[in-house]
Amino acid sequence: MPATASGGARPEEAAEAPSASTSASVCMGTRPEELAARLAAAGPAAGAGAGCVGAGAGGAEVEHERVRALREIKNQIIGNRTKKLLYLRLGAVPAVVAALASPVSSPAALVQAAAAAGSFACGVDDGARAVLDAGAVGHLTRLLAHPDEKVVDASARALRMIYQSRLAPKFDVNIGKNMDFVLSLLNSENENVTELAATIISHSCESSAEQLSLCSAGVPQKLISLFGGSMNLRDACLDSITAIIRNNRETASRFASMDHGKVFRSVVGLIHDRSPRTRLLTCLCLIALGHASPCHFQDKQIKTKLIMVLLELIEEPGQVGDEAPLALTTLIKDSLELQKQALMTNAVEKLSSHLLANPLETRRAVTILLALSELCSKLEESRSQLMSVEVSTLILEALKHDWADIRVAACSCLKNISRSPKVLSGGRLSCDTVIAPLVQLLCDSSTSVQVAALGAICNIAVNLTPWKTVLLHSGAVSQLVHLSKSMDPTLRLKSVWALRNIMFLLSPKDKDFVVKELTLSTLSSLICDSEHFVQEQTLALVHNLVDGYLESANYVIGEDGMVIDAISRQLNNASAPGVCIQGMFVLANIAAGNELSKEAVMRVILPHRTDCVKPTFVVKFLQSKDKQLRVATLWCLLNLIYPKCDASSGRVVRLQNSGVIPQVKNMINDPCLDCKLRVRMVLEHCVDNADDCFM
Amino acid sequence: MFLSRIVRHDLDSIDSLSSMASSKKVVTREEWERKLRDVKIRKEDMNRLVMNFLVTEGFVDAAEKFRVESGTQPEIDLATITERMEVKRAVQSGNVQEAIEKINDLNPTILDTNPQLYFHLQQQKLIELIRAGKISEALEFAQEELAPRGEENQTFLEEIEKTVALLVFEDVKNCPYGELLDVSQRLKTASEVNAAILTSQSHEKDPKLPSLLKMLLWTQNQLDEKAAYPRINDFTTAALEDPSI
């Protein structure tokens, strides 16, 4: 704050100095406030002076002063966030960009101004925004054609810094002459300029239309031909190639078969390059290729090599080592085969030992935890390997860490470890030590931490005693109920999901406890939530509630029928298939109960209406393409007409008259075996019940 | 059953190892030299290795002479070596601000993309202020320039604390963190600067020759277990020494 206060006063003081006009050098202050004022004063004066006498002594001196002020500012801000923010407040950016815009600026001034503009855009979002708002991109682009090579270098570097900011506008190659511009940059003799072209492509290329256009214009071949240049240029080119093939089967397969696979092989060759950064970028490129076009990437040897190279790269200092675990995560994601492969190359052991060797508050710890989490997503052996004493302690420590990213990563790890009840119960983690911090994270200030903690609790809740019991008595239920009323749909989804899993195979007494915490009115409103995935989870929760606990049907059909009305509304409105399936399972479970329950279900599926024109939704569900929905509906019908008794016979007649049974008869040859079996059972029961009637 | 087989197998291999150790293969000097003569190494490759060393280490005059005499083209413009060496010299003589400005003139993206290097230069600047006894200036610099870096990074904070601790002691040279005032600290920073500039110029930051020598050493150690042969013990002369049997 004091800096701002003095900043407010100083520029006025300093602004008086240049009023002694030509002797601008009198004012030599190098404090930020003075410098900003010096620059502002030198700016317009130079423009006016040069207007009348190009090389006038006064003009030259003012220009000299301007170069000095620009250089001084540049040297203060490079690498220094605090100074960048300070100069931003002092309004230095427009003055710097004005120097780039001025037609009379000397090459020396242009070089300094370009460097300063590039630095303002680096690492500070507000700086990037100010540089963009001042129109620096246009001026710097124009300066790429400047006759002085130093100006070209400086402008290309500055533009590269700007295009590395996420705030920089996308450069759509399909608009106007943009493609010609990118191609002209790529064809430049100046490596700074070609590297700029690669940076622009990496930053901007997102849509498949752009990827295709770049491919058709021969850009990948051009980028490959630049591999012969400097190491930094080659890295930038690799990154652009990745951008062109990412998630695009067409461009990826064109790239893979380009020049009879020669191009592809030249990328594969770089996997053993001496530069660690190049190795990482090569891995990322090949991973993108494999994901976009799996058929061009079936060579198991290359995949194994990728895993090994990435595990080695984790030992590299800096960004490369930080990002390597993330690349590994992307590579093995959802692939059982590659996860096995990674386990065989001792991935869990290597990652764990790096994790233990690094302090927790580093990006590396976060990315390593995420990679370990992925490794534990499918393989039991990875999970048990990971659960050494040291790592378990570290994960617990990470749960309580100040840094949100590390808390998220630790939760993600726990989530995947707890997919295995065996590791969880036999492992080093005792439920008391894990659950308390996890439940605490439900009130975290960061939503992403809450979501991650919910993920872990969801999986832990599936486990039976002692985990479930501890969870129930940890205060988790009331927290989950609280989160189920959140504004954030993801939080609602995950909290209801966790409650659903807690409800799974719970004792009647504990089920009553959960319902009491949740209340029937919250339950009804969650069934009618605005998001269908929340509706689906809520109905699954009700499904688990009534499963194996017949008395609990009273929660659904009793209390003015609040819950069953909500279910009825969703089924009649023909919501998403998942919602209908869960809804029908709930009805099927209730229909397994006493007469009262069966009749309540009948009222939902065959409401008394004045007009009987509209067919019941049950017929529609039986005609659905979704076999699960058909099975759920058939189960419900089966429970309604079972066991053989008068009431059941009456229901058969009503179902017959409303067109439900005739629809079931149509399904005698249902392609799904499960459906076919249930259809037969329903029809047999109909016959049994009918026999009763006529006897 | 399976287990016992493995154990037996292991015993076998240990047996064969010990029997080998007692009868190491002996290679005579003549035989060794004849084999060495059969290995053809291109003169140009040797020259490039030397040039790589001179360029990376920054021996610009030697590199220039070597270029003229051997006709080997250096991997980068020799002028950039001069600039790099000026920066290195500035750090070595304690003129950190001058070094920072020169780096920014060379390539303004280096310090913006290497926060650690920037921090070490700032730290070096503080060390130089303390060395020069400019206590109030040092305190002001630590507060205004270094403290914000410590807020961004825990490791930096610890290093700042160590450096500022120098101010507490009367006899700084002998205080716990006195090594920060050593010439070696300047050299460390200087070599970090050198590496960053080389990387920005797409040049490898370490010369190839030392790693080749390390490889030679490793290979000889491996070979010692299997054979007696004329070893190179003195790397400065590379003289072969007769095998000791």
Side-chain angles (χ1 to χ4, degrees):
Chain A
M1 270 302 120
T4 341
S6 62
R10 268 169 205 270
E12 284 167 35
E13 265 170 51
E16 281 166 23
S19 67
S21 90
T22 43
S23 55
S25 53
V26 170
C27 157
M28 282 304 291
T30 55
R31 303 223 29 118
E33 298 80 12
E34 292 158 354
L35 264 172
R38 268 167 68 190
L39 181 61
C52 36
V53 232
E61 212 168 304
V62 174
E63 179 64 10
H64 185 61
E65 160 65 7
R66 177 151 75 156
V67 173
R68 266 209 297 214
L70 281 166
R71 183 164 186 271
E72 182 66 32
I73 291 180
K74 174 196 80 171
N75 282 329
Q76 287 195 17
I77 62 167
I78 287 181
N80 195 323
R81 254 183 78 85
T82 338
K83 287 277 168 62
K84 283 181 195 179
L85 292 172
L86 181 55
Y87 276 103
L88 269 174
R89 277 205 301 271
L90 294 170
V93 172
V96 168
V97 177
L100 290 173
S102 162
V104 293
S105 288
S106 62
L110 290 172
V111 167
Q112 298 303 330
S119 180
F120 272 120
C122 176
V124 183
D125 278 353
D126 285 344
R129 207 171 287 122
V131 168
L132 289 166
D133 289 348
V137 172
H139 299 306
L140 288 167
T141 309
R142 180 175 45 79
L143 290 172
L144 291 175
H146 198 277
D148 190 322
E149 197 67 7
K150 282 201 172 128
V151 176
V152 178
D153 279 336
S155 308
R157 275 183 184 140
L159 280 169
R160 237 164 50 212
M161 299 290 252
I162 294 173
Y163 275 109
Q164 273 163 6
S165 159
R166 62 189 176 91
L167 293 170
K170 300 286 169 196
F171 187 89
D172 189 339
V173 286
N174 284 332
I175 292 176
K177 290 196 160 54
N178 280 0
M179 180 68 93
D180 293 339
F181 176 68
V182 169
L183 291 175
S184 74
L185 295 185
L186 276 174
N187 287 323
S188 164
E189 293 285 312
N190 183 321
E191 281 207 353
N192 275 316
V193 176
T194 39
E195 205 180 321
L196 167 65
T199 310
I200 291 179
I201 294 171
S202 308
H203 170 78
S204 304
C205 181
E206 273 176 348
S207 75
S208 57
E210 283 173 90
Q211 291 171 317
L212 279 171
S213 302
L214 286 165
C215 219
S216 303
V219 170
Q221 290 94 324
K222 181 73 204 166
L223 290 167
I224 294 278
S225 75
L226 293 172
F227 277 8
S230 73
M231 192 166 69
N232 296 341
L233 176 60
R234 192 185 52 201
D235 289 352
C237 289
L238 266 171
D239 204 27
S240 319
I241 292 172
T242 311
I244 295 175
I245 59 178
R246 184 177 290 135
N247 297 329
N248 188 327
R249 178 187 286 264
E250 175 67 26
T251 53
S253 68
R254 270 206 235 172
F255 178 77
S257 43
M258 214 168 263
D259 209 356
H260 308 291
K262 216 171 120 192
V263 170
F264 173 65
R265 282 193 296 277
S266 65
V267 174
V268 172
L270 290 177
I271 209 173
H272 293 305
D273 193 84
R274 286 174 63 92
S275 149
R277 196 172 144 68
T278 307
R279 291 205 294 277
L280 176 67
L281 290 167
T282 309
C283 289
L284 287 170
C285 183
L286 291 172
I287 293 168
L289 183 75
H291 281 178
S293 174
C295 63
H296 282 99
F297 197 72
Q298 285 172 333
D299 189 342
K300 208 173 153 190
Q301 260 187 322
I302 299 184
K303 289 183 191 170
T304 314
K305 235 182 246 171
L306 283 179
I307 294 176
M308 290 186 350
V309 170
L310 286 170
L311 283 174
E312 267 171 32
L313 284 175
I314 293 168
E315 292 173 32
E316 291 295 328
Q319 211 197 358
V320 171
D322 293 350
E323 299 305 314
L326 277 193
L328 182 67
T329 312
T330 328
L331 174 64
I332 61 173
K333 205 172 181 67
D334 301 326
S335 162
L336 184 64
E337 184 204 328
L338 287 179
Q339 293 186 8
K340 276 187 189 154
Q341 199 70 46
L343 185 67
M344 265 158 46
T345 43
N346 286 333
V348 175
E349 201 188 306
K350 283 180 194 160
L351 286 165
S352 311
S353 62
H354 276 290
L355 183 64
L356 294 167
N358 278 288
L360 267 181
E361 50 281 320
T362 51
R363 178 157 168 75
R364 185 158 314 191
V366 173
T367 55
I368 291 180
L369 270 175
L370 290 174
L372 282 168
S373 162
E374 192 60 43
L375 274 165
C376 292
S377 66
K378 293 184 194 299
L379 289 177
E380 188 75 6
E381 207 184 326
S382 299
R383 295 180 192 131
S384 47
Q385 246 189 48
L386 179 63
M387 282 292 94
S388 68
V389 183
E390 294 86 358
V391 175
S392 329
T393 322
L394 188 125
I395 290 179
L396 284 177
E397 218 177 286
L399 281 182
K400 299 171 197 157
H401 200 273
D402 287 342
W403 191 25
D405 287 8
I406 198 92
R407 294 199 297 276
V408 169
C411 286
S412 161
C413 247
L414 272 180
K415 180 184 91 184
N416 286 343
I417 291 165
S418 49
R419 280 186 180 162
S420 156
K422 214 169 97 192
V423 172
L424 205 55
S425 53
R428 319 269 180 188
L429 291 171
S430 80
C431 42
D432 303 297
T433 48
V434 176
I435 287 177
L438 266 181
V439 171
Q440 200 147 36
L441 291 183
L442 292 179
C443 335
D444 202 279
S445 55
S446 143
T447 312
S448 47
V449 175
Q450 288 179 306
V451 169
L454 281 169
I457 288 181
C458 268
N459 281 355
I460 286 177
V462 181
N463 289 278
L464 299 177
T465 44
W467 292 81
K468 215 180 200 98
T469 327
V470 175
L471 198 57
L472 266 177
H473 298 108
S474 64
V477 175
S478 62
Q479 275 306 324
L480 292 171
V481 169
H482 178 70
L483 286 177
S484 73
K485 296 170 195 160
S486 155
M487 295 272 280
D488 187 317
T490 318
L491 285 178
R492 288 204 304 277
L493 170 72
K494 299 258 176 161
S495 51
V496 173
W497 199 325
L499 285 169
R500 168 205 174 170
N501 287 355
I502 289 179
M503 196 66 100
F504 176 63
L505 296 183
L506 202 61
S507 71
K509 195 179 117 242
D510 289 334
K511 279 184 179 178
D512 290 339
F513 165 71
V514 176
V515 175
K516 214 167 156 192
E517 289 273 316
L518 185 61
T519 74
L520 294 180
S521 70
T522 308
L523 192 60
S524 317
S525 55
L526 282 170
I527 292 174
C528 300
D529 193 274
S530 54
E531 307 293 335
H532 65 81
F533 43 81
V534 178
Q535 302 166 6
E536 185 181 337
Q537 284 308 321
T538 314
L539 287 168
L541 186 155
V542 180
H543 178 187
N544 282 346
L545 167 69
V546 291
D547 179 50
Y549 176 31
L550 287 180
E551 292 76 16
S552 67
N554 285 331
Y555 289 129
V556 181
I557 60 175
E559 194 103 356
D560 306 327
M562 193 159 46
V563 176
I564 199 147
D565 285 350
I567 298 176
S568 168
R569 208 161 34 236
Q570 291 303 342
L571 294 174
N572 276 298
N573 290 342
S575 324
V579 177
C580 297
I581 294 169
Q582 292 301 336
M584 283 320 289
F585 273 130
V586 172
L587 291 187
N589 274 356
I590 293 175
N594 55 23
E595 271 305 311
L596 215 64
S597 305
K598 287 188 204 283
E599 279 308 312
V601 173
M602 282 301 278
R603 277 197 297 279
V604 173
I605 64 175
L606 301 177
H608 291 291
R609 285 219 196 90
T610 40
D611 60 306
C612 282
V613 193
K614 202 181 157 203
T616 162
F617 61 83
V618 174
V619 174
K620 208 169 61 194
F621 288 177
L622 288 172
Q623 292 166 338
S624 160
K625 281 195 189 107
D626 193 315
K627 60 181 179 200
Q628 261 192 297
L629 182 53
R630 297 202 301 276
V631 170
T633 312
L634 287 164
W635 265 115
C636 179
L637 295 175
L638 201 56
N639 286 344
L640 283 173
I641 58 178
Y642 181 89
K644 200 170 113 178
C645 66
D646 286 354
S648 291
S649 306
R651 282 191 286 274
V652 169
V653 174
R654 276 149 74 198
L655 289 168
Q656 171 75 33
N657 295 342
S658 59
V660 176
I661 301 294
Q663 171 58 33
V664 177
K665 282 183 182 153
N666 288 339
M667 296 163 69
I668 195 89
N669 284 319
D670 195 288
C672 161
L673 269 184
D674 198 12
C675 290
K676 203 168 160 178
L677 180 66
R678 305 301 153 210
V679 165
R680 274 160 206 263
M681 286 166 79
V682 170
L683 293 178
E684 272 164 29
H685 279 289
C686 285
V687 174
D688 280 0
N689 280 311
D691 286 350
D692 255 16
C693 278
F694 294 116
M695 247 193 279
Chain B
M1 226 263 313
F2 185 61
L3 244 178
S4 66
R5 200 165 53 213
I6 292 178
V7 172
R8 193 142 23 122
H9 178 80
D10 271 353
L11 282 175
D12 285 352
S13 60
I14 291 169
D15 274 354
S16 57
L17 250 182
S18 55
S19 63
M20 253 185 65
S22 57
S23 60
K24 261 196 209 168
K25 191 173 184 223
V26 179
V27 188
T28 63
R29 198 187 179 98
E30 292 72 41
E31 209 181 329
W32 193 252
E33 284 182 336
R34 201 182 58 242
K35 283 196 168 156
L36 282 180
R37 269 194 301 277
D38 287 346
V39 183
K40 296 272 177 284
I41 295 174
R42 295 191 330 158
K43 181 91 177 155
E44 297 84 59
D45 289 342
M46 298 277 272
N47 286 345
R48 274 172 46 211
L49 206 57
V50 173
M51 183 57 100
N52 170 275
F53 179 78
L54 296 175
V55 165
T56 315
E57 292 293 321
F59 299 116
V60 63
D61 295 339
E64 177 56 29
K65 271 226 164 69
F66 190 66
R67 185 185 68 83
V68 174
E69 284 174 14
S70 70
T72 311
Q73 284 309 313
E75 301 125 345
I76 44 176
D77 187 358
L78 288 181
T80 64
I81 304 181
T82 317
E83 291 163 337
R84 176 159 52 93
M85 285 308 111
E86 279 173 17
V87 177
K88 209 173 153 183
R89 258 195 301 279
V91 179
Q92 280 169 352
S93 52
N95 298 324
V96 183
Q97 187 54 37
E98 184 194 332
I100 291 178
E101 289 176 12
K102 284 204 153 94
I103 297 171
N104 289 341
D105 282 339
L106 260 177
N107 181 345
T109 63
I110 295 177
L111 293 181
D112 256 334
T113 47
N114 283 295
Q116 183 167 322
L117 174 64
Y118 182 68
F119 172 76
H120 285 152
L121 281 165
Q122 298 277 73
Q123 184 191 22
Q124 191 67 45
K125 206 164 149 182
L126 177 62
I127 294 171
E128 299 306 339
L129 285 174
I130 295 172
R131 194 198 313 276
K134 298 177 179 166
I135 304 304
S136 60
E137 220 177 305
L139 273 174
E140 192 187 354
F141 182 75
Q143 271 171 347
E144 285 190 10
E145 303 289 334
L146 282 174
R149 304 287 88 73
E151 284 168 28
E152 293 158 15
N153 186 312
Q154 180 67 30
T155 330
F156 292 172
L157 185 63
E158 284 163 23
E159 291 201 43
I160 296 171
E161 284 167 357
K162 277 189 209 165
T163 318
V164 174
L166 293 176
L167 288 167
V168 184
F169 296 93
E170 291 262 314
D171 178 14
V172 276
K173 284 258 155 70
N174 294 315
C175 80
Y177 303 118
E179 78 266 10
L180 287 173
L181 287 165
D182 276 358
V183 184
S184 65
Q185 180 68 23
R186 279 184 182 176
L187 293 181
K188 211 169 103 185
T189 313
S191 107
E192 203 183 333
V193 166
N194 189 45
I197 298 177
L198 280 168
T199 309
S200 80
Q201 292 167 344
S202 285
H203 196 283
E204 280 179 37
K205 57 185 195 292
D206 300 309
K208 294 184 169 115
L209 201 53
S211 48
L212 268 178
L213 286 179
K214 277 185 203 156
M215 220 190 288
L216 173 65
L217 197 65
W218 181 85
T219 318
Q220 290 197 141
N221 288 342
Q222 293 288 308
L223 201 55
D224 282 343
E225 289 175 16
K226 298 185 174 112
Y229 60 96
R231 228 175 169 274
I232 298 179
N233 289 331
D234 184 352
F235 282 164
T236 53
T237 60
L240 292 176
E241 283 169 33
D242 285 326
S244 53
I245 308 160

